[in-house]
């Protein structure tokens, strides 16, 4: 005899089973992605570059090559296949430097990095002088020279450019277009210089860049990897030495310790200021604008530094720093908070939370719901409906 409970069990799909199937699917997709990188790496390490005879059969016109190079400034995943087909149909032998400049100037989103890797791999396999020029151009983003650093440009845009460039360099390294680990040692050496801690904007930018590097380049730091077996197969070909891993780990740890020391110093200053402000409030009942502005500026600087250090700690599989609490102090505010004159400049201090401008806009620039949702669902049509009902009732009377 069949039980009703049995019939119910047949038609019920357990959430745990569904989650397991999704996990398996994700793992298979991950393995597929890693294997594709391994194949691409082999092709990049042993490129079969066409001879000059073959290249002469392709379109070498200035007009066509200029048009294709212009598209390299706007690399994105959506146009990747079409752009690669165009690159296969032209002879860029005399325009390699222009192609490199276009790629280095491209504003890449995080979602476009893999498209850029595919395009760079194609050009690497076709033109011998492409990769050396590309690496030189990308590294300049981190070492632009004093004159370029002094130019008054958007700090946020500069940080996003560094972040996307670092991601691209690492991915190119994993697939064999970049083959020198020393490039990353130089970049990390500069980013972890304690001298940068004197500049708050540089500190926030570097903390974000280092956290991004640690998440993407865990193997370089000797950190454990998810999907260990398949990733080990990919990374073992990188020939990263134990000494190099030790260098990265030591550089990160030394910088982290120095940043935490700075955080502790600012925390002590913040507590001291809170004590003093509490005395002023007790005596006068309010803080003057100067004291309130100074406090807000220090508090925001401390909060930003704490978030940056915590992000780096998480990327390094470490616990975030814990500051000593003082029960006799409280957070004080002028009531104007971020709108105070002294706080407006600090609100622009860079944290590089977003990979690119499009990602930032997606989260920060909220759409007007009235353009997408019927007014009645937003409650805006209710008053008009009520008025109509009143008129109907009056008319019936």
């Amino acid at each position: 005899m069949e039980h009703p409970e049995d019939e119910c069990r047949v038609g019920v799909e357990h959430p745990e089973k569904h989650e397991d199937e999704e996990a398996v699917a994700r793992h298979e997709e991950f393995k597929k992605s890693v294997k594709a990188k391994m194949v691409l790496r082999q092709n990049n390490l042993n490129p079969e570059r066409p001879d000059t005879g073959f290249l002469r059969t392709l379109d070498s016109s200035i007009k066509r090559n200029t048009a294709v190079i212009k598209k390299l400034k706007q690399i994105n995943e959506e146009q990747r296949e079409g752009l690669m087909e165009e690159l296969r149909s032209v002879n860029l032998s005399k325009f390699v430097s222009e192609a490199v400049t276009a790629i280095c100037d491209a504003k890449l989103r995080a979602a476009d990095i893999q498209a850029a890797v595919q395009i760079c791999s194609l050009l690497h396999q076709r033109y011998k002088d492409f990769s050396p020029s590309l690496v030189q151009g990308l590294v300049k983003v981190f070492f632009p020279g004093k004159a370029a650093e002094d130019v008054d440009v958007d700090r946020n845009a500069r940080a996003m450019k560094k972040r996307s460039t670092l991601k691209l360099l690492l991915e190119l390294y994993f697939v064999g277009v970049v083959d020198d680990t020393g490039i990353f040692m130089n970049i990390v050496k500069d980013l972890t210089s304690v001298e940068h801690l004197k500049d708050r904007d540089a500190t926030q930018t570097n903390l974000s860049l280092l956290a991004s590097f640690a998440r993407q380049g865990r193997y370089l730091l000797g950190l454990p990897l998810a999907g260990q077996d398949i990733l080990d197969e990919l990374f073992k070909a990188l020939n990263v030495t134990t000494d190099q891993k030790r260098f990265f780990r030591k550089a990160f740890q030394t910088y982290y310790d120095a940043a935490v020391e700075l955080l502790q110093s600012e925390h002590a200053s913040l507590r001291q200021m809170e004590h003093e402000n509490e005395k002023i409030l007790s005596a006068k009942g309010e803080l003057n604008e100067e004291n309130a502005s100074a406090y807000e500026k220090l508090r925001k600087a401390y909060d930003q530094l704490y978030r940056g250090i915590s992000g780096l700690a998480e990327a390094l599989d470490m616990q975030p720093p814990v500051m000593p609490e003082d029960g006799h102090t409280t957070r004080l505010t002028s009531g104007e908070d971020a709108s105070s004159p002294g706080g407006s400049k600090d609100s622009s201090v860079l944290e590089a939370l977003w990979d690119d401008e499009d990602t930032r806009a997606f989260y920060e620039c909220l759409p007007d719901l009235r353009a997408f949702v019927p007014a009645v669902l937003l409650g805006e049509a209710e008053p008009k409906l009520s008025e109509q009902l009143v008129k109907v009732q009056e008319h019936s009377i």
Side-chain angles (χ1 to χ4, degrees), residues 207 218 223 249 252-253 256-257 259-261 263-264 305-323:
L207 283 169
R218 293 177 65 85
L223 295 171
R249 188 68 185 183
F252 271 77
Q253 188 64 55
Y256 177 81
D257 291 341
V260 170
E261 187 176 339
L263 182 70
Q264 292 171 337
L305 182 60
Y306 181 82
R307 286 196 297 271
I309 292 174
S310 296
L312 179 57
E314 181 182 1
L316 295 173
D317 293 343
M318 298 168 59
Q319 292 296 320
V322 179
M323 297 295 104

Side-chain angles (χ1 to χ4, degrees), residues 366-375 378 380:
L366 301 180
D368 185 356
L369 291 179
R370 286 173 295 187
F372 306 96
V373 182
L378 296 175
E380 294 186 357

Side-chain angles (χ1 to χ4, degrees), residues 63-344:
K63 182 178 180 180
R64 181 73 189 285
N65 278 277
T66 301
V68 174
I69 288 171
K70 187 176 180 181
K71 293 182 180 180
L72 288 174
K73 293 182 179 181
Q74 301 172 333
I75 295 174
N76 57 64
E77 181 60 35
E78 293 78 10
Q79 300 177 10
R80 174 175 59 87
E81 286 295 339
L83 181 53
M84 291 181 71
E85 282 301 315
E86 288 195 67
L87 288 170
R88 293 187 183 101
S89 67
V90 296
N91 178 10
L92 283 171
S93 298
K94 297 180 179 179
F95 304 94
V96 170
S97 61
E98 288 83 356
V100 166
T101 300
I103 293 173
C104 292
D105 290 343
K107 296 180 179 179
L108 297 175
R109 302 169 299 172
D112 301 327
I113 295 296
Q114 292 306 319
V117 170
Q118 294 287 331
I119 288 169
C120 290
S121 294
L122 172 61
L123 293 172
H124 164 77
Q125 293 172 26
R126 181 159 288 195
Y127 307 104
K128 185 177 181 180
D129 52 342
F130 171 77
S131 293
S133 299
L134 177 68
V135 171
Q136 186 178 14
L138 293 176
V139 170
K140 277 186 179 179
V141 173
F142 301 93
F143 306 99
K146 187 171 180 58
E149 287 286 2
D150 290 341
V151 176
D152 185 19
V153 298
D154 185 356
R155 288 180 178 272
N156 195 47
R158 185 189 297 166
M160 287 181 181
K161 182 62 177 176
K162 286 184 176 180
R163 189 164 182 172
S164 64
T165 301
L166 188 57
K167 284 178 177 288
L168 178 59
L169 275 170
L170 277 168
E171 287 299 322
L172 292 174
Y173 176 62
F174 296 152
V175 299
V177 174
V178 175
D179 60 0
D180 183 7
T181 313
I183 292 171
F184 302 102
M185 296 176 72
N186 290 333
I187 291 174
V188 168
K189 183 178 180 180
D190 177 67
L191 293 178
T192 56
S193 171
V194 294
E195 287 297 312
H196 293 316
L197 292 173
K198 298 176 182 178
D199 182 332
R200 178 44 54 89
D201 286 354
T203 299
Q204 294 301 136
T205 299
N206 292 355
L207 283 169
S208 177
L209 289 171
L210 290 169
S212 178
F213 181 92
R215 285 190 292 269
Q216 188 181 0
R218 293 177 65 85
Y219 180 81
L220 296 174
L221 279 76
L223 295 171
L225 306 170
Q228 185 80 36
D229 295 338
I230 187 70
L231 285 176
D232 270 346
E233 194 174 347
L234 170 67
F235 290 136
K236 68 181 181 182
L238 299 178
N239 295 321
V240 182
T241 67
T242 302
D243 286 342
Q244 288 172 331
K245 290 183 179 181
R246 188 179 296 117
F247 164 83
F248 285 116
R249 188 68 185 183
K250 183 178 180 181
F252 271 77
Q253 188 64 55
T254 300
Y255 183 79
Y256 177 81
D257 291 341
V260 170
E261 187 176 339
L262 175 61
L263 182 70
Q264 292 171 337
S265 175
E266 289 203 359
H267 183 261
S269 298
L270 186 64
R271 288 172 58 191
Q272 180 62 32
M273 186 176 288
E274 287 174 344
H275 276 298
E276 294 172 356
N277 287 346
E278 192 173 25
K279 292 178 181 178
I280 295 174
L281 282 172
S282 298
K284 299 182 178 181
E286 63 177 0
L287 292 177
N288 60 37
E289 185 177 341
E290 182 179 355
N291 286 344
S293 178
Y295 173 76
E296 287 298 330
K297 183 176 181 179
L298 181 59
R299 180 176 69 83
K300 289 178 182 179
Y302 169 81
D303 288 343
Q304 288 173 337
L305 182 60
Y306 181 82
R307 286 196 297 271
I309 292 174
S310 296
L312 179 57
E314 181 182 1
L316 295 173
D317 293 343
M318 298 168 59
Q319 292 296 320
V322 179
M323 297 295 104
E325 293 294 334
D326 187 342
H328 298 289
T329 61
T330 56
R331 287 286 171 92
L332 305 172
T333 178
S334 64
E336 297 178 358
D337 201 23
S339 62
S340 62
S344 60

Side-chain angles (χ1 to χ4, degrees), residues 29-46:
E29 189 65 27
F30 174 72
K31 287 173 62 177
K32 183 179 178 182
S33 173
V34 174
K35 288 181 179 178
K37 286 186 179 182
M38 292 168 63
V39 172
L40 185 59
R41 178 177 174 80
Q42 286 303 313
N43 292 335
N44 286 332
L45 291 177
N46 305 285

